[in-house]
Amino acid sequence: MSTTRRVAVVGGNRIPFARAGGPYAHASNQDMLTAALDGLLARHGLSGQRVGEFAAGAVLKHSRDFNLAREVVLGSGLDPRTPAHDVQMACATGLETVVSIANKIALGQLESGIAGGVDSASDAPIELNDELRRVLLRANHAKGPGGKLRALSGVRPQHVVPGIPRNAEPRTGLSMGEHAARTAAAWQVGRAEQDELAARSHQRLADAYERGFFDDLITPFQGLSRDQNLRPDSSEEKLAKLEPVFGRGEQATMTAGNSTPLSDGASTVLLASEEWANHHRLPVLAYLEDFVSGAVDYVSGDEGLLMAPAYAVPELLDRAGNTLDQFDFYEMHEAFASQVLCTLKAWQDREFCSRRLGRSEPLGELDTDRLNVNGSSLAVGHPFAATGGRIVATLAKLLAESGSGRGLISICAAGGQGITAIVER
Ligand SMILES: CC(=O)CC(=O)SCCNC(=O)CCNC(=O)[C@H](O)C(C)(C)COP(=O)(O)OP(=O)(O)OC[C@H]1O[C@@H](n2cnc3c(N)ncnc32)[C@H](O)[C@@H]1OP(=O)(O)O
């Protein structure tokens, strides 16, 4: 990145993530993101102050939230003169909001900013039937009570059927889980290794809570002080008993235990120039070094829907002059255990690295003891747009605890996209 100056991660704050239909079932995106933002402001002594800009997004958004970020600013403790804009890149949204603010800080256009993301699978927008919508719009534009009544007389019983959002790719009609199951079969990723990764995610998240890692990264919300999906007793033996939910026959290796749950939650990250952080006497956790987004042709090509990070990470490494093994921490979003395992396999595969990445040697292996050391989405949950902010804040704090080091972030997203980043201290 052609930075003119370094971009500091000063802090992060999120609300505990909840399972869909759970304690946040009646909370809106605005409620959750405002709570995460107000917690961040309070912790950093910024209530009532203006920051340069607030960027945020949600994957599932009601039409009333056309500029969700701005509405959240107006309902929060931030100075209402803080400008705000929305971002949408499916599960990459949270990190893309960080990119949006970070690049402006790097270029000297902003001194500080907050990035955020939120999603509610409980409060997903349900659309009116297209025909009914057209009739209602016609009625709205019609002149006089007679004209409106005439327009409304076009309503038919079949118009009552609503459009319920599906967790599926519009181009294929397949759910993310079905796509991931096909990729897992292609890479011969088995059930046992997926369950092992899932069990480890829960154990590591439980340990991180025990040692107070999240004490200054989480604000309790609506009676929840820990991620609701966390099962400290989740073992490979228990996970092995679950029935498969995605894939068929021998390909059916994915279960509710090794897939992320549908979730509700919000996260925020405070970014700034070093000068701004110093001026406000706020310690810097870590610095954002670079970002690369990628996309794959999963529609007409033969690449897996969630495999974009397998391409974006090598590009990021090349730009940074790094090899895969040169990081102290790896944060890979666990959309599904199989997604992480397929990506790791691809990087070790000579044919994939030669044919798809144009490399003479495989990208290599990474030390799984340094991968998602405090657990990740399988245990934490995955409110789509909130995951990026959670990961950036977790990694920045890990680096701050270590005193120095470098971390690599990889997040897959719907639409065949992905986003990656390097964070250092
Ligand atoms: C969106 C992007 O851009 C990119 C991405 O990230 S892609 C990923 C997007 N996310 C998804 O697609 C979400 C996928 N998940 C789902 O659709 C659903 O969570 C699911 C179909 C996998 C499961 O739904 P469900 O059946 O309602 O789950 P749930 O009832 O909680 O669990 C089923 C059983 O497993 C058990 N279970 C779940 N996790 C467990 C664990 N870790 N240990 C032990 N048991 C567990 C539950 O206790 C439950 O058991 P009972 O039936 O005995 O009560």
Side-chain angles (χ1 to χ4, degrees):
M1 188 161 65
S2 57
T3 49
T4 52
R5 54 187 185 164
R6 295 206 290 181
V7 180
V9 181
V10 179
N13 187 60
R14 66 180 178 93
I15 56 172
F17 292 172
R19 295 174 64 81
Y24 305 164
H26 299 290
S28 67
N29 279 342
Q30 281 192 38
D31 297 334
M32 291 190 288
L33 189 52
T34 306
L37 177 59
D38 280 341
L40 183 81
L41 299 177
R43 187 169 303 127
H44 295 87
L46 295 173
S47 299
Q49 294 198 34
R50 183 192 158 168
V51 295
E53 220 170 287
F54 179 55
V59 174
L60 300 167
K61 217 164 75 158
H62 290 275
S63 54
R64 64 172 176 265
D65 288 334
F66 62 90
N67 190 345
L68 173 66
R70 179 64 184 146
E71 292 307 321
V72 167
V73 166
L74 292 173
S76 76
L78 266 182
D79 184 323
R81 288 169 300 173
T82 305
H85 69 272
D86 275 24
V87 174
Q88 221 284 23
M89 198 182 172
C91 294
T93 302
L95 184 48
E96 190 58 40
T97 63
V98 168
V99 174
S100 175
I101 296 290
N103 285 349
K104 291 186 182 186
I105 294 171
L107 291 172
Q109 296 163 346
L110 291 179
E111 289 304 319
S112 65
I114 297 175
V118 59
D119 256 297
S120 169
S122 301
D123 186 34
I126 292 180
E127 288 179 356
L128 284 179
N129 175 292
D130 273 351
E131 276 305 313
L132 177 59
R133 203 163 45 78
R134 281 187 204 109
V135 170
L136 294 177
L137 284 169
R138 266 201 304 275
N140 192 37
H141 293 306
K143 292 207 166 51
K148 289 191 189 297
L149 270 177
R150 264 191 305 282
L152 287 172
S153 67
V155 176
R156 298 282 173 272
Q158 65 268 28
H159 290 171
V160 179
V161 180
I164 297 185
R166 292 180 59 229
N167 187 13
E169 279 297 325
R171 304 265 160 190
T172 62
L174 293 176
S175 70
M176 321 254 169
E178 287 301 329
H179 270 285
R182 289 173 185 207
T183 314
W187 281 103
Q188 298 182 329
V189 167
R191 169 79 182 263
E193 50 188 324
Q194 293 177 52
D195 288 347
E196 185 192 346
L197 192 136
R200 201 164 55 218
S201 189
H202 283 271
Q203 284 146 18
R204 288 179 174 182
L205 180 65
D207 290 348
Y209 270 111
E210 282 315 303
R211 64 187 178 85
F213 180 85
F214 295 111
D215 287 356
D216 54 0
L217 292 179
I218 287 184
T219 302
F221 184 63
Q222 298 198 345
L224 213 58
S225 54
R226 286 186 173 200
D227 302 306
Q228 192 194 13
N229 189 56
L230 170 61
R231 297 170 186 243
D233 63 343
S234 212
S235 63
E236 287 167 60
E237 295 70 36
K238 282 188 181 163
L239 288 165
K241 294 194 178 108
L242 299 180
E243 288 297 320
V245 287
F246 300 118
R248 284 191 189 82
E250 284 188 359
Q251 297 188 1
T253 57
M254 294 172 52
T255 68
N258 59 39
S259 306
T260 46
L262 293 167
S263 315
D264 305 336
S267 68
T268 52
V269 185
L270 174 61
L271 306 174
S273 66
E274 285 184 287
E275 296 78 12
W276 187 94
N278 289 338
H279 177 73
H280 287 79
R281 297 179 195 283
L282 290 170
V284 171
L285 297 178
Y287 297 92
L288 297 166
E289 193 181 302
D290 200 3
F291 314 96
V292 166
S293 302
V296 293
D297 180 4
Y298 69 98
V299 184
S300 54
D302 62 350
E303 191 47 277
L305 173 75
L306 302 176
M307 290 301 280
Y311 295 80
V313 163
E315 201 181 318
L316 182 69
L317 295 178
D318 286 349
R319 214 150 74 184
N322 282 133
T323 53
L324 185 60
D325 56 357
Q326 285 178 325
F327 291 86
D328 303 276
F329 299 105
Y330 303 88
E331 285 288 329
M332 291 178 76
H333 160 48
E334 298 167 340
F336 301 96
S338 66
Q339 188 279 331
V340 173
L341 295 165
C342 289
T343 305
L344 296 180
K345 283 200 172 183
W347 288 336
Q348 290 168 43
D349 188 78
R350 185 169 289 278
E351 213 233 313
F352 175 88
C353 291
S354 157
R355 199 156 63 85
R356 308 272 172 133
L357 304 179
R359 305 176 87 89
S360 55
E361 293 296 324
L363 199 68
E365 252 179 273
L366 58 78
D367 179 359
T368 51
D369 285 344
R370 291 186 252 154
L371 171 63
N372 298 340
V373 298
N374 285 336
S376 187
S377 311
L378 288 170
V380 181
H382 174 40
F384 310 123
T387 289
R390 170 187 72 73
I391 289 178
V392 170
T394 300
L395 178 56
K397 178 153 180 207
L398 272 169
L399 291 165
E401 275 187 344
S402 299
S404 66
R406 308 185 81 224
L408 180 68
I409 295 176
S410 153
I411 299 176
C412 62
Q417 303 207 92
I419 187 162
T420 61
I422 294 176
V423 185
E424 65 172 356
R425 181 182 166 109

Coordinates of all heavy atoms in Angstrom, one line a residue, residues 19 59 89-92 167 169 175-177 198 202 229 231 233-235 238-239 242-243 245-246 255-262 305-306 333-336 378 382 384 411-415 417, ligand 1:
R19 N -26.8 -16.5 19.2 CA -27.4 -17.3 18.2 C -28.7 -16.7 17.7 O -29.4 -16.1 18.5 CB -27.6 -18.7 18.8 CG -26.3 -19.4 19.2 CD -26.6 -20.7 19.9 NE -27.3 -21.7 19.0 CZ -26.6 -22.4 18.1 NH1 -25.3 -22.4 18.0 NH2 -27.3 -23.2 17.3
V59 N -24.9 -7.1 6.1 CA -25.2 -7.9 5.0 C -26.7 -8.0 4.8 O -27.3 -7.8 3.7 CB -24.6 -9.4 5.1 CG1 -25.1 -10.2 3.9 CG2 -23.1 -9.3 5.1
M89 N -19.9 -5.9 1.4 CA -19.1 -6.9 0.7 C -19.3 -8.3 1.3 O -18.4 -9.0 1.6 CB -17.6 -6.5 0.7 CG -16.8 -7.2 -0.4 SD -15.1 -6.7 -0.3 CE -14.4 -7.9 -1.5
A90 N -20.6 -8.6 1.5 CA -20.9 -9.9 2.2 C -20.1 -10.1 3.5 O -19.9 -9.1 4.2 CB -20.8 -11.1 1.3
C91 N -19.5 -11.2 3.7 CA -18.8 -11.5 5.0 C -17.5 -10.7 5.0 O -16.8 -10.7 6.0 CB -18.5 -12.9 5.2 SG -20.1 -13.8 5.4
A92 N -17.1 -10.1 3.9 CA -15.9 -9.3 3.9 C -16.2 -7.9 4.3 O -15.3 -7.0 4.5 CB -15.3 -9.3 2.5
N167 N -30.3 -18.1 2.6 CA -28.8 -18.1 2.8 C -28.3 -18.9 1.6 O -27.6 -19.9 1.7 CB -28.5 -18.8 4.1 CG -27.0 -18.7 4.4 OD1 -26.3 -17.9 3.8 ND2 -26.6 -19.5 5.4
E169 N -26.7 -18.6 -2.7 CA -26.1 -17.8 -3.8 C -27.1 -17.5 -4.9 O -27.7 -18.5 -5.4 CB -24.9 -18.5 -4.4 CG -23.7 -18.4 -3.5 CD -23.2 -16.9 -3.4 OE1 -23.3 -16.2 -4.4 OE2 -22.7 -16.6 -2.4
S175 N -27.0 -23.2 -1.2 CA -26.6 -22.5 0.1 C -25.1 -22.5 0.2 O -24.4 -23.3 -0.5 CB -27.2 -23.2 1.3 OG -26.6 -24.5 1.4
M176 N -24.6 -21.6 1.0 CA -23.1 -21.6 1.2 C -22.6 -23.0 1.7 O -21.6 -23.4 1.4 CB -22.7 -20.6 2.3 CG -23.5 -19.3 2.3 SD -22.5 -18.0 1.6 CE -23.9 -16.9 1.5
G177 N -23.5 -23.6 2.6 CA -23.1 -24.9 3.1 C -23.0 -25.9 2.0 O -22.1 -26.7 2.0
A198 N -13.1 -27.7 14.8 CA -14.2 -27.1 15.5 C -14.0 -27.2 17.0 O -14.2 -26.2 17.7 CB -15.5 -27.7 15.1
H202 N -13.6 -24.0 20.0 CA -14.3 -23.8 21.2 C -13.4 -23.8 22.4 O -13.5 -23.0 23.3 CB -15.4 -24.9 21.4 CG -16.6 -24.8 20.5 ND1 -17.7 -24.1 21.0 CD2 -16.9 -25.2 19.3 CE1 -18.6 -24.0 20.0 NE2 -18.1 -24.7 19.0
N229 N -22.7 -18.9 21.6 CA -22.5 -20.2 20.9 C -21.4 -21.0 21.5 O -21.2 -22.2 21.2 CB -22.1 -19.9 19.4 CG -22.1 -21.2 18.6 OD1 -23.1 -21.9 18.5 ND2 -21.0 -21.5 17.9
R231 N -19.3 -23.5 23.5 CA -19.5 -24.7 24.3 C -18.2 -25.2 24.8 O -17.5 -25.9 24.0 CB -20.2 -25.8 23.5 CG -21.6 -25.4 22.9 CD -21.9 -26.5 21.9 NE -23.2 -26.2 21.3 CZ -24.3 -26.9 21.4 NH1 -24.3 -28.0 22.1 NH2 -25.4 -26.6 20.7
D233 N -17.4 -27.4 26.6 CA -17.3 -28.9 26.6 C -17.4 -29.5 25.2 O -17.5 -30.8 25.1 CB -18.4 -29.5 27.5 CG -19.8 -29.2 26.9 OD1 -19.9 -28.3 26.0 OD2 -20.8 -29.8 27.3
S234 N -17.3 -28.7 24.2 CA -17.4 -29.3 22.8 C -16.1 -30.1 22.5 O -15.0 -29.6 22.5 CB -17.4 -28.1 21.8 OG -18.2 -28.4 20.7
S235 N -16.3 -31.4 22.4 CA -15.2 -32.3 22.1 C -15.4 -33.0 20.8 O -16.5 -33.0 20.2 CB -15.2 -33.4 23.2 OG -16.4 -34.2 23.1
K238 N -18.1 -35.6 20.9 CA -19.5 -35.1 20.9 C -19.8 -34.6 19.4 O -20.9 -34.9 18.9 CB -19.7 -33.9 21.8 CG -19.8 -34.3 23.3 CD -20.2 -33.2 24.1 CE -20.3 -33.6 25.6 NZ -20.2 -32.6 26.5
L239 N -18.9 -33.9 18.8 CA -19.1 -33.4 17.5 C -19.3 -34.5 16.5 O -20.1 -34.4 15.5 CB -18.0 -32.5 17.0 CG -17.9 -31.2 17.8 CD1 -16.5 -30.5 17.6 CD2 -19.0 -30.2 17.3
L242 N -23.0 -35.7 15.7 CA -24.0 -34.9 15.0 C -24.3 -35.4 13.6 O -23.4 -35.8 12.9 CB -23.5 -33.4 15.0 CG -23.3 -32.8 16.3 CD1 -22.8 -31.3 16.2 CD2 -24.5 -32.8 17.2
E243 N -25.5 -35.2 13.2 CA -26.0 -35.6 11.9 C -25.5 -34.6 10.8 O -25.5 -33.4 11.1 CB -27.5 -35.7 11.8 CG -28.1 -36.8 12.5 CD -27.7 -38.2 11.9 OE1 -27.6 -38.3 10.7 OE2 -27.5 -39.1 12.7
V245 N -25.5 -31.9 7.8 CA -26.6 -31.1 7.4 C -26.3 -30.6 5.9 O -27.3 -30.1 5.3 CB -26.8 -29.8 8.3 CG1 -27.4 -30.2 9.6 CG2 -25.4 -29.1 8.5
F246 N -25.1 -30.7 5.5 CA -24.8 -30.3 4.1 C -24.1 -31.4 3.3 O -23.3 -32.1 3.9 CB -23.9 -29.0 4.0 CG -24.5 -27.8 4.7 CD1 -23.9 -27.3 5.9 CD2 -25.7 -27.2 4.3 CE1 -24.4 -26.2 6.5 CE2 -26.2 -26.1 4.9 CZ -25.6 -25.6 6.0
T255 N -21.6 -30.5 9.6 CA -22.7 -30.6 10.6 C -22.9 -29.2 11.2 O -22.2 -28.3 10.9 CB -22.3 -31.5 11.8 OG1 -21.2 -30.9 12.5 CG2 -21.9 -32.9 11.2
A256 N -23.9 -29.1 12.1 CA -24.1 -27.9 12.8 C -22.9 -27.5 13.7 O -22.7 -26.4 14.0 CB -25.4 -28.0 13.7
G257 N -22.1 -28.5 14.1 CA -20.9 -28.3 14.9 C -19.7 -27.8 14.2 O -18.9 -27.1 14.8
N258 N -19.6 -28.2 12.9 CA -18.4 -27.7 12.2 C -18.7 -26.7 11.1 O -18.0 -26.4 10.2 CB -17.5 -28.9 11.6 CG -18.3 -29.8 10.7 OD1 -19.1 -29.3 9.9 ND2 -18.1 -31.1 10.7
S259 N -20.0 -26.1 11.3 CA -20.4 -25.0 10.4 C -20.7 -23.8 11.4 O -21.1 -24.0 12.5 CB -21.7 -25.3 9.7 OG -21.6 -26.5 9.0
T260 N -20.5 -22.6 10.9 CA -20.9 -21.5 11.8 C -22.4 -21.5 12.0 O -23.2 -21.8 11.1 CB -20.5 -20.1 11.2 OG1 -20.9 -20.0 9.8 CG2 -19.0 -19.8 11.3
P261 N -22.9 -21.0 13.2 CA -24.3 -20.9 13.4 C -24.8 -19.6 12.8 O -24.0 -18.6 12.7 CB -24.4 -20.9 14.9 CG -23.2 -20.2 15.4 CD -22.1 -20.6 14.4
L262 N -26.1 -19.5 12.5 CA -26.7 -18.2 12.1 C -26.7 -17.3 13.4 O -27.1 -17.8 14.4 CB -28.1 -18.4 11.5 CG -28.1 -19.2 10.2 CD1 -29.5 -19.6 9.8 CD2 -27.5 -18.3 9.1
L305 N -16.8 -21.7 -4.1 CA -17.4 -20.4 -3.8 C -16.6 -19.7 -2.7 O -16.4 -18.5 -2.8 CB -18.8 -20.7 -3.2 CG -19.5 -19.4 -2.6 CD1 -20.0 -18.5 -3.8 CD2 -20.7 -19.8 -1.7
L306 N -16.0 -20.4 -1.8 CA -15.4 -19.7 -0.6 C -13.8 -19.8 -0.7 O -13.1 -19.6 0.3 CB -15.9 -20.3 0.7 CG -17.4 -20.2 0.9 CD1 -17.8 -20.9 2.2 CD2 -17.9 -18.8 0.9
H333 N -11.1 -16.7 9.1 CA -12.5 -16.8 9.4 C -13.0 -18.2 9.2 O -12.8 -18.7 8.0 CB -13.3 -15.8 8.6 CG -14.7 -16.1 8.4 ND1 -15.5 -16.4 9.5 CD2 -15.5 -16.1 7.3 CE1 -16.8 -16.6 9.1 NE2 -16.8 -16.4 7.8
E334 N -13.5 -18.8 10.2 CA -14.0 -20.2 10.1 C -15.5 -20.2 9.6 O -16.4 -20.5 10.4 CB -13.9 -20.9 11.4 CG -12.5 -21.0 11.9 CD -12.4 -21.4 13.4 OE1 -13.4 -21.3 14.1 OE2 -11.4 -21.9 13.8
A335 N -15.7 -19.8 8.4 CA -17.1 -19.9 7.9 C -17.6 -21.3 8.1 O -18.7 -21.5 8.6 CB -17.1 -19.6 6.4
F336 N -16.8 -22.3 7.7 CA -17.0 -23.7 7.9 C -15.6 -24.2 8.2 O -14.7 -23.8 7.6 CB -17.6 -24.4 6.7 CG -18.9 -23.8 6.2 CD1 -19.0 -22.8 5.2 CD2 -20.1 -24.2 6.8 CE1 -20.2 -22.3 4.8 CE2 -21.3 -23.7 6.4 CZ -21.4 -22.7 5.4
L378 N -16.4 -20.5 14.3 CA -17.1 -21.7 14.7 C -17.6 -21.7 16.1 O -18.7 -22.1 16.5 CB -16.3 -23.0 14.5 CG -16.0 -23.3 13.0 CD1 -15.0 -24.4 12.9 CD2 -17.3 -23.8 12.3
H382 N -21.1 -16.1 13.9 CA -20.7 -15.3 12.7 C -21.8 -14.4 12.2 O -22.5 -14.8 11.3 CB -20.3 -16.3 11.6 CG -20.0 -15.7 10.3 ND1 -19.3 -14.5 10.1 CD2 -20.3 -16.1 9.0 CE1 -19.2 -14.2 8.8 NE2 -19.8 -15.2 8.2
F384 N -22.6 -12.0 10.0 CA -21.7 -11.8 8.8 C -20.8 -10.5 8.8 O -19.6 -10.7 8.8 CB -22.6 -11.7 7.6 CG -23.6 -12.9 7.5 CD1 -25.0 -12.7 7.3 CD2 -23.1 -14.2 7.5 CE1 -25.9 -13.7 7.2 CE2 -24.0 -15.3 7.4 CZ -25.4 -15.0 7.3
I411 N -10.4 -13.8 5.1 CA -11.9 -13.9 5.3 C -12.5 -14.2 4.0 O -12.3 -13.5 3.0 CB -12.4 -12.6 5.9 CG1 -11.8 -12.3 7.2 CG2 -14.0 -12.7 6.0 CD1 -12.3 -10.9 7.8
C412 N -13.3 -15.3 3.9 CA -14.0 -15.7 2.7 C -15.4 -15.0 2.7 O -15.8 -14.7 3.8 CB -14.1 -17.2 2.6 SG -15.1 -17.9 3.9
A413 N -15.9 -14.8 1.6 CA -17.2 -14.1 1.5 C -18.1 -14.7 0.4 O -17.6 -15.3 -0.5 CB -17.0 -12.6 1.3
A414 N -19.4 -14.5 0.6 CA -20.4 -14.9 -0.4 C -20.1 -14.2 -1.7 O -19.3 -13.2 -1.7 CB -21.8 -14.6 0.0
G415 N -20.6 -14.7 -2.8 CA -20.3 -14.1 -4.1 C -19.0 -14.5 -4.7 O -18.5 -13.9 -5.6
Q417 N -16.1 -14.1 -3.1 CA -15.1 -13.1 -2.8 C -14.3 -13.4 -1.5 O -14.6 -14.3 -0.8 CB -15.7 -11.7 -2.7 CG -16.5 -11.4 -3.9 CD -16.6 -9.9 -4.1 OE1 -15.8 -9.3 -4.8 NE2 -17.7 -9.3 -3.6
Ligands
LIG1 C1 -21.7 -15.2 4.2 C2 -20.4 -15.1 3.7 O1 -20.1 -14.1 2.9 C3 -19.3 -16.1 3.9 C4 -19.5 -17.1 4.9 O2 -19.1 -16.9 6.1 S1 -20.2 -18.5 4.5 C5 -20.9 -19.1 6.0 C6 -22.2 -18.4 6.2 N1 -23.0 -19.0 7.3 C7 -23.9 -20.0 7.0 O3 -24.1 -20.4 5.9 C8 -24.6 -20.5 8.3 C9 -24.6 -22.0 8.2 N2 -25.3 -22.5 9.3 C10 -26.6 -22.9 9.3 O4 -27.3 -22.7 8.3 C11 -27.2 -23.5 10.5 O5 -26.5 -23.1 11.7 C12 -27.1 -25.1 10.4 C13 -28.0 -25.6 9.3 C14 -25.6 -25.5 10.2 C15 -27.5 -25.7 11.8 O6 -28.7 -25.2 12.1 P1 -29.6 -25.9 13.3 O7 -29.9 -27.3 13.0 O8 -30.6 -24.9 13.7 O9 -28.5 -25.9 14.5 P2 -28.6 -26.3 16.0 O10 -30.0 -26.6 16.3 O11 -28.0 -25.2 16.8 O12 -27.7 -27.5 16.2 C16 -28.1 -28.8 15.8 C17 -27.7 -29.8 16.8 O13 -26.2 -29.8 16.9 C18 -25.8 -29.6 18.2 N3 -24.6 -28.8 18.2 C19 -24.3 -27.7 17.5 N4 -23.0 -27.3 17.8 C20 -22.5 -28.2 18.6 C21 -21.2 -28.4 19.2 N5 -20.3 -27.5 19.0 N6 -21.0 -29.4 20.1 C22 -22.0 -30.3 20.3 N7 -23.2 -30.2 19.7 C23 -23.5 -29.2 18.9 C24 -27.0 -28.8 18.9 O14 -27.0 -29.0 20.3 C25 -28.2 -29.4 18.2 O15 -28.5 -30.6 18.9 P3 -30.0 -31.0 19.2 O16 -30.6 -31.2 17.8 O17 -29.8 -32.3 20.0 O18 -30.5 -29.9 20.0

